[in-house]
Amino acid sequence: MEFRHLGRSGLEISEIAYGNWLTHGSQVEEDAALACVRAALDCGITTFDTADVYAETRAESVLGRALKGERREGLEIFTKVYWPTGPGRNDRGLSRKHILESIDGSLSRLGTDYVDLYQAHRYDYATPLEETMLAFADVVRSGKALYIGVSEWNAEQIRAGAELARELRVPLISNQPQYSMLWRVIEAEVVPASEELGLGQIVWSPIAQGVLTGKYLPGQPPPAGSRATDDKGGQDFVSRMLTDDVLTRVQQLRPLAEEAGLSLAQLAVAWVLQNPNVSAAIIGASRPEQVHENVKAAGVKLDESLLTRIDVLLDPVVNRDPALTLSPTTRP
């Protein structure tokens, strides 16, 4: 495993992180989830990402049990706040009330005294940014989180948050966006702003919800049991990429992956890690062998000619519009 600093902070994280958005407490049984976390640890992954809303808070609990007994100082545990976690009007958003109550709930479920990174899961248009950032500052000063980050904020929002963080003297160090060969909406605005401000990207869906594994074939229905057929989560994200043009071009990536000695999934993970502003790529898994397979992308350097050929091949189907940054009404 290779390690990188998260933004310009002193925190080092594994360049491949393990995330449990769609798996723990939802799509897979707990024994399988625990086996996947064990595989991640065995492969050298030290960075684990979750959120209070995943599987209606169950994902945090499963991850907490999976990491029980591990040396806490050797792990980087990340979680998030924003989405509803209860029926009340204040069980959502980035109000001071919800943030301060949510961090306690997350710590209890995770079985830890602190998280390394506490992230705003979306931008909250209904709460003054000053209120949100002050609440995050108080979470850090209380010792319940070491650093703060955001997820799917656009460049303007990141700049405003970073300015307040500087005034409050708290470490805002990261953004967690969707990013892959097919989804590059952060490149034009978010990445330059983040580089300027010292934030690193912790990217989710580097294999485009499985599309970049090549398992979806043009002109054929999605394989039974795949994410595209699972209504528990992720289906909407996959379906928008399941066009014959996209799937045909993904199949044409196979010889390029073979030339690099990689599977399609490994090529996809390695590709996002070529971006110097990316601190980590989050992988998920429902089986331990998927973890072992994907971590082989760690430390891989792709040559410029290969990157150029990938760009030429995929350019007609790549999403680049910065306005496509996820809105606060869409998950994960």
Side-chain angles (χ1 to χ4, degrees):
M1 182 56 59
E2 300 288 328
F3 297 85
R4 301 182 179 193
H5 284 276
L6 184 46
R8 284 204 294 264
S9 77
L11 181 66
E12 292 189 52
I13 63 176
S14 53
E15 68 176 14
I16 296 179
Y18 182 87
N20 69 352
W21 163 35
L22 288 173
T23 50
H24 295 188
S26 178
Q27 288 185 333
V28 301
E29 298 298 326
E30 182 155 343
D31 286 349
L34 299 181
C36 288
V37 171
R38 173 48 51 192
L41 292 165
D42 290 345
C43 290
I45 291 175
T46 61
T47 305
F48 295 85
D49 180 79
T50 187
D52 57 6
V53 72
Y54 294 168
E56 299 176 334
T57 76
R58 294 188 301 275
E60 284 185 325
S61 298
V62 174
L63 182 61
R65 290 191 290 272
L67 295 175
K68 187 176 181 179
E70 295 297 319
R71 179 175 175 270
R72 180 64 183 89
E73 294 81 359
L75 302 173
E76 304 86 46
I77 300 176
F78 303 166
T79 194
K80 313 181 196 72
V81 58
Y82 171 83
W83 294 106
T85 52
R89 296 186 303 277
N90 292 305
D91 292 329
R92 66 196 68 202
L94 296 178
S95 68
R96 180 176 181 82
K97 177 176 173 63
H98 186 52
I99 288 173
L100 296 184
E101 291 175 347
S102 292
I103 186 62
D104 288 339
S106 289
L107 294 180
S108 177
R109 289 185 290 270
L110 288 164
T112 183
D113 294 330
Y114 70 95
V115 291
D116 297 270
L117 182 70
Y118 199 38
Q119 303 160 94
H121 209 159
R122 287 295 181 274
Y123 187 87
D124 186 355
Y125 292 91
T127 301
L129 183 58
E130 292 83 357
E131 175 181 341
T132 293
M133 296 304 295
L134 180 57
F136 275 121
D138 287 343
V139 168
V140 171
R141 291 182 181 124
S142 71
K144 295 177 181 180
L146 304 185
Y147 302 87
I148 57 175
V150 301
S151 177
E152 292 292 352
W153 285 26
N154 64 34
E156 180 182 359
Q157 293 160 353
I158 288 172
R159 289 184 186 280
E163 181 178 357
L164 285 169
R166 283 194 300 272
E167 292 176 6
L168 293 165
R169 302 186 68 80
V170 291
L172 174 61
I173 64 172
S174 65
N175 177 49
Q176 187 173 134
Q178 181 179 187
Y179 186 51
S180 71
M181 289 190 221
L182 296 172
W183 193 262
R184 308 189 193 183
V185 303
I186 64 171
E187 290 181 343
E189 297 178 2
V190 167
V191 166
S194 297
E195 289 176 334
E196 174 190 335
L197 298 167
L199 279 67
Q201 309 300 319
I202 309 162
V203 306
W204 60 272
S205 196
I207 58 175
Q209 299 297 294
V211 173
L212 287 168
T213 67
K215 66 182 176 183
Y216 299 104
L217 300 175
Q220 297 186 25
S226 66
R227 190 160 292 175
T229 63
D230 191 337
D231 60 6
K232 291 181 181 179
Q235 190 177 37
D236 291 343
F237 290 95
V238 178
S239 61
R240 63 189 175 193
M241 290 183 279
L242 296 181
T243 68
D244 281 353
D245 194 9
V246 170
L247 299 182
T248 297
R249 291 175 185 276
V250 169
Q251 293 303 315
Q252 292 170 351
L253 287 171
R254 285 191 183 279
L256 303 185
E258 291 169 1
E259 178 183 319
L262 302 169
S263 68
L264 278 175
Q266 291 162 357
L267 177 67
V269 176
W271 184 90
V272 302
L273 291 172
Q274 306 309 297
N275 187 321
N277 191 232
V278 170
S279 297
I282 299 172
I283 63 168
S286 56
R287 304 187 310 276
E289 53 267 30
Q290 293 173 324
V291 179
H292 289 284
E293 175 76 6
N294 289 335
V295 296
K296 293 175 183 176
V300 170
K301 305 300 180 188
L302 303 178
D303 64 51
E304 288 299 324
S305 65
L306 177 59
L307 293 171
T308 298
R309 283 182 286 163
I310 290 171
D311 286 346
V312 171
L313 175 60
L314 295 181
D315 186 66
V317 295
V318 169
N319 288 294
R320 301 180 186 274
D321 184 359
L324 293 174
T325 297
L326 289 183
S327 76
T329 60
T330 53
R331 300 187 187 186

